Amino acid sequence: MSDNQKKPTVKGYSAESITVLKGLEAVRKRPAMYIGDVGKRGLHHLVYEVVDNSIDEAMGGYCDTITVTIGKDETITVEDNGRGIPVDMHKEEGRPAVEVVMTSLHAGGKFDKDSYKVSGGLHGVGVSVVNALAEWLEVEVYRNGSIHVIDFKRGLLGKAVKITGKTKKRGTKVTFKADDTIFTHNVFDWDVLEDRVRELAFLNKGLSITLKDEREGEKRSEKYLYKGGLKQFIDYLNENKHALHPQVIAFEGEKDDVPIDVAFQYNDSYSENILSYVNNINTIEGGTHLSGLRTALTRTLNNYATRNNLFKKTNTTLSGDDVREGLTCVLSIKVAEPQFEGQTKTKLGNGDIKGIVDSFVSDQLNEFMEQHPAIAKRVIEKSLMAAQARDAARKARELTRRKSALESGDLPGKLADCSTKDPALCEIYLVEGDSAGGSAKQGRDRRYQAILPLRGKIINAEKARIDKILGNNEIRMMITAFGTGFKEDFELEKLRYHKIVIMTDADVDGAHIRTLLLTFLFRYLPELIINGHIFIAMPPLYRVSVGKKEKYCFDDDERDIAIKKLTDGGDPSRAKIQRYKGLGEMNPDQLWNTTMDPETRTMMRVNLDDAAAADRIFSTLMGDIVEPRREFIQSHAKYVTNIDA
Ligand code: 0RA
């Protein structure tokens, strides 16, 4: 970030516009407060923010087509066929409404009180934030037969709104270029935008969203339009799974003025995949709507099974985990004034919603089961099997507790713990293999870095039930070391290390172990990911040295640049190149310098930005249908080179 752009002068502005300037200046000063960060994530957030405005227009029923274009030179254009942002004079502000909308923080809501405003997480900060963070931004409004154009530079008015021609179109087109002096990453990623666009198209049935890329060598155009809405979303999520019943079950309606849309289907896997949305925002931390859905599901299935004598033993009850095993479900509701809470502001807090969703889903599900007894029976049978496994798991868990209590001070024997006890300062490295574990133990700063070497095979959490998973030694060690417990016993406050770092070799086996670890964490301890506690260490692939000068490099490009630099463009053969096949090849000092020293290391934080994509990736990579896995690996070949499928 830099401050080298000209600061606006206050002279000559009205009182209102001074507050506006102050507002947008605040955004430029602390962009991360408004969009999370100024890297890749924040950059893409700008696009979501603009698209959200068009989606609002679509949710109001005024627009059915949106086009998002990545232009040459990394510009973004979002066009919709809605009513068009009003261009007439804004009474209180004495400026055209479109200008007010683009320059006032949170101006959107002033106009349309009835629509479901997005305001969760980073959403809903307003299009003016995009304007403030754009090198330039231009709006074209098609309204009343005319084309109205206005533009801005870094949030400040450029050319005032004027009519430039006639049109039969209706709608709004916003084009902007993100400010290079603010963003550290300025290249848009088709796949990232595609995931969000596809998700929005599933959530808003019948809405057509086209994503276009006009960059040189990247030209393509894809239209997302799902007449089946959430039903098609479930088909998509379950594509690589074996469904237990062919048809997706879906209910859509309104209860106490809350529009509710839910669809689900069981598959023969052991994992639960429920995605919940409020006003099109993925509520990854859940909330009252999700609680209502879960309560309804558990109670309705238990009542049905009891009523129809499907329990062999009279005192059987199915737990929530039992009825959700193998469930893929999407819940999408609209709330007029959502309260978002939690670490990432993606947890719905409105108390009344729980009962509303519970009652709606109970009624609909009851009716469905009465009409489809064969499907109901299969689901109950699947849940009963899960209940049996849960019994076995409880025994395994009790065993874990007793066993760890016997060992020295609760902790696994192989753990080399750190001396500091404040979890906020502590890190634990999960290290593959004993030799790397040995180097890490010697190289670490033992005050706050703990090492847990993992040797045995880590079980594939995608293919095993909880009882098997808990029987796995490496997994038990991790859970004990983390201190949080898991599932219903999970307590984030008990986490013993705020950074959990996965450190594996930069080869095929390392990638495999990393995926196994992430699969386990994603399925059984997602809270650790959501709260930002999971990291991936980035050990270098090469050490390039000439005499005493050395440089560690993370890929081939970096290596080639380093060779040129260190040899001053002279004879490249003077450079000594060491390729690290495994962490174990590095001595403890090297491992510390390159990978573990907080001052110099590079680490990636794992996030759950896109839960739908994550679920598909894990079930594709780790599930048991082979063909999609091969396709996935081929289509993502540039990210997973050398993986032998
Ligand atoms: C306020 C009022 C009206 C439309 C909009 C905002 C609007 C904003 C955006 C942003 C992107 N696309 C948009 N489309 C519409 C409606 C005013 C009226 O005609 O009654």
Side-chain angles (χ1 to χ4, degrees):
M1 198 187 332
S2 96
D3 280 296
N4 57 9
Q5 67 279 349
K6 282 210 185 81
K7 285 272 151 54
T9 52
V10 170
K11 214 172 129 218
Y13 284 91
S14 68
E16 287 87 355
S17 38
I18 288 172
T19 30
V20 166
L21 287 179
K22 285 223 174 98
L24 294 194
E25 235 179 288
V27 176
R28 290 183 61 82
K29 269 215 184 90
R30 297 194 200 293
M33 267 189 51
Y34 297 85
I35 55 162
D37 63 60
V38 291
K40 182 170 173 178
R41 213 170 162 184
L43 180 78
H44 287 76
H45 194 81
L46 299 181
V47 186
Y48 308 153
E49 201 55 56
V50 179
V51 173
D52 278 348
N53 285 284
S54 299
I55 294 281
D56 278 350
E57 196 67 1
M59 285 203 286
Y62 304 108
C63 143
D64 66 4
T65 307
I66 298 172
T67 308
V68 180
T69 308
I70 313 170
K72 295 190 187 91
D73 305 324
E74 307 295 335
T75 61
I76 291 287
T77 301
V78 179
E79 177 166 353
D80 66 53
N81 64 346
R83 291 167 295 177
I85 305 180
V87 287
D88 48 343
M89 238 356 134
H90 189 278
K91 283 203 194 73
E92 286 130 51
E93 301 256 355
R95 299 183 289 148
V98 60
E99 191 186 317
V100 176
V101 168
M102 298 314 297
T103 54
S104 321
L105 287 174
H106 301 291
K110 277 189 205 160
F111 290 83
D112 259 341
K113 283 226 178 59
D114 305 331
S115 70
Y116 300 105
K117 278 292 155 214
V118 283
S119 48
L122 300 169
H123 290 268
V125 292
V127 71
S128 61
V129 167
V130 179
N131 194 15
L133 300 177
E135 182 192 321
W136 55 264
L137 180 145
E138 182 188 277
V139 187
E140 276 187 28
V141 174
Y142 315 113
R143 226 177 128 97
N144 308 326
S146 301
I147 305 173
H148 309 257
V149 183
I150 181 170
D151 70 25
F152 304 86
K153 302 250 173 323
R154 299 195 158 109
L156 300 179
L157 181 63
K159 293 197 201 79
V161 66
K162 69 162 185 231
I163 292 178
T164 60
K166 285 193 175 137
T167 182
K168 290 207 173 82
K169 285 206 287 194
R170 245 182 15 145
T172 306
K173 181 168 98 175
V174 176
T175 304
F176 69 92
K177 169 85 179 89
D179 192 338
D180 281 347
T181 64
I182 288 194
F183 289 91
T184 56
H185 182 108
N186 308 76
V187 181
F188 289 99
D189 182 333
W190 170 280
D191 292 340
V192 171
L193 293 179
E194 179 189 38
D195 280 335
R196 176 64 179 155
V197 160
R198 186 194 293 112
E199 179 180 54
L200 283 168
F202 280 133
L203 292 169
N204 296 278
K205 108 171 136 191
L207 173 64
S208 158
I209 315 182
T210 298
L211 182 60
K212 279 189 190 166
D213 200 333
E214 292 180 342
R215 291 172 299 188
E216 226 42 71
E218 310 270 342
K219 291 203 169 56
R220 66 192 281 198
S221 172
E222 220 79 61
K223 179 166 132 178
Y224 303 86
L225 164 58
Y226 303 104
K227 296 221 168 78
L230 295 195
K231 276 192 179 180
Q232 280 180 281
F233 200 168
I234 298 288
D235 283 338
Y236 173 77
L237 292 168
N238 269 351
E239 191 172 70
N240 301 325
K241 296 174 181 171
H242 299 284
L244 229 54
H245 47 98
Q247 268 171 10
V248 176
I249 303 166
F251 314 129
E252 198 182 342
E254 206 174 294
K255 173 98 189 166
D256 298 345
D257 296 326
V258 177
I260 303 173
D261 200 355
V262 54
F264 60 95
Q265 185 180 42
Y266 282 88
N267 59 70
D268 70 354
S269 81
Y270 306 121
S271 45
E272 146 189 355
N273 180 25
I274 305 184
L275 298 176
S276 64
Y277 295 84
V278 174
N279 302 353
N280 291 319
I281 295 161
N282 186 193
T283 36
I284 46 179
E285 295 178 272
T288 48
H289 56 325
L290 185 61
S291 305
L293 171 80
R294 290 172 159 213
T295 308
L297 193 67
T298 312
R299 193 189 49 242
T300 310
L301 289 189
N302 273 298
N303 289 350
Y304 180 89
T306 309
R307 233 177 20 243
N308 293 280
N309 297 318
L310 295 174
F311 291 150
K312 305 256 157 21
K313 285 188 238 147
T314 43
N315 60 349
T316 310
T317 42
L318 299 169
S319 74
D321 283 336
D322 299 337
V323 303
R324 293 192 301 270
E325 186 186 278
L327 174 69
T328 299
C329 177
V330 179
L331 169 67
S332 170
I333 68 167
K334 304 280 156 58
V335 180
E337 282 175 33
Q339 292 146 25
F340 288 106
E341 308 168 346
Q343 174 80 11
T344 55
K345 290 273 178 283
T346 57
K347 180 175 183 181
L348 185 70
N350 304 50
D352 54 332
I353 298 293
K354 180 173 193 291
I356 294 173
V357 174
D358 180 352
S359 137
F360 176 82
V361 174
S362 297
D363 290 350
Q364 299 275 334
L365 183 57
N366 243 321
E367 195 179 321
F368 178 87
M369 297 192 22
E370 295 300 343
Q371 285 167 2
H372 302 85
I375 295 178
K377 196 165 168 230
R378 291 200 73 168
V379 171
I380 303 280
E381 276 165 5
K382 159 101 177 163
S383 305
L384 279 167
M385 303 246 294
Q388 280 171 13
R390 173 173 53 104
D391 262 0
R394 193 184 308 116
K395 286 180 191 127
R397 203 172 332 174
E398 276 159 13
L399 200 70
T400 323
R401 286 206 192 104
R402 237 177 306 133
K403 209 173 156 193
S404 57
L406 287 176
E407 277 167 2
S408 56
D410 274 348
L411 293 167
K414 294 215 297 178
L415 173 74
D417 209 359
C418 50
S419 53
T420 307
K421 291 290 167 242
D422 178 359
L425 303 174
C426 294
E427 310 178 341
I428 183 171
Y429 279 76
L430 309 176
V431 189
E432 144 201 22
D434 276 346
S435 70
S439 289
K441 275 184 200 175
Q442 288 175 50
R444 70 179 170 144
D445 183 333
R446 60 177 60 243
R447 285 170 303 173
Y448 59 90
Q449 291 180 322
I451 309 292
L452 182 63
L454 302 171
R455 182 178 29 181
K457 200 164 162 38
I458 295 143
I459 198 165
N460 180 351
E462 197 65 38
K463 282 195 196 167
R465 265 207 181 105
I466 189 163
D467 49 335
K468 281 257 174 59
I469 288 168
L470 281 185
N472 185 257
N473 196 41
E474 314 300 298
I475 290 207
R476 279 216 306 272
M477 282 200 312
M478 280 190 276
I479 295 176
T480 317
F482 297 167
T484 54
F486 76 106
K487 280 273 169 181
E488 56 267 34
D489 300 335
F490 182 87
E491 286 173 87
L492 187 62
E493 303 72 42
K494 292 207 172 148
L495 180 61
R496 300 180 59 248
Y497 315 89
H498 281 195
K499 289 199 175 78
I500 296 172
V501 188
I502 299 173
M503 186 158 75
T504 59
D505 285 342
D507 63 4
V508 189
D509 287 344
H512 186 61
I513 291 165
R514 184 172 63 227
T515 312
L516 286 167
L517 284 169
L518 287 172
T519 307
F520 162 67
L521 292 167
F522 175 66
R523 294 295 182 201
Y524 287 89
L525 295 163
E527 297 89 346
L528 295 182
I529 304 181
I530 291 169
N531 289 283
H533 294 301
I534 308 294
F535 295 81
I536 293 173
M538 305 279 283
L541 266 184
Y542 300 102
R543 176 175 177 270
V544 179
S545 61
V546 174
K548 284 217 170 80
K549 290 184 288 185
E550 62 171 13
K551 177 139 178 57
Y552 294 98
C553 308
F554 293 89
D555 57 37
D556 295 1
D557 287 346
E558 273 190 22
R559 177 200 57 195
D560 296 342
I561 292 168
I563 295 173
K564 278 207 186 102
K565 260 213 173 128
L566 293 184
T567 57
D568 293 320
D571 179 10
S573 68
R574 283 177 41 225
K576 194 167 150 244
I577 297 157
Q578 191 180 356
R579 187 183 201 289
Y580 296 115
K581 292 210 193 65
L583 297 164
E585 288 177 10
M586 275 187 245
N587 66 39
D589 275 351
Q590 285 175 327
L591 195 57
W592 165 259
N593 286 330
T594 60
T595 316
M596 297 178 72
D597 178 359
E599 298 290 323
T600 53
R601 70 186 174 196
T602 310
M603 293 206 302
M604 289 198 296
R605 179 183 245 136
V606 180
N607 66 52
L608 245 190
D609 272 351
D610 195 335
D615 181 81
R616 262 176 70 92
I617 287 169
F618 284 120
S619 48
T620 309
L621 279 176
M622 308 310 278
D624 48 18
I625 303 186
V626 173
E627 191 48 35
R629 174 160 56 235
R630 185 168 302 133
E631 275 169 26
F632 178 88
I633 288 171
Q634 279 163 1
S635 69
H636 289 70
K638 59 180 165 176
Y639 307 114
V640 287
T641 40
N642 302 330
I643 286 195
D644 40 359

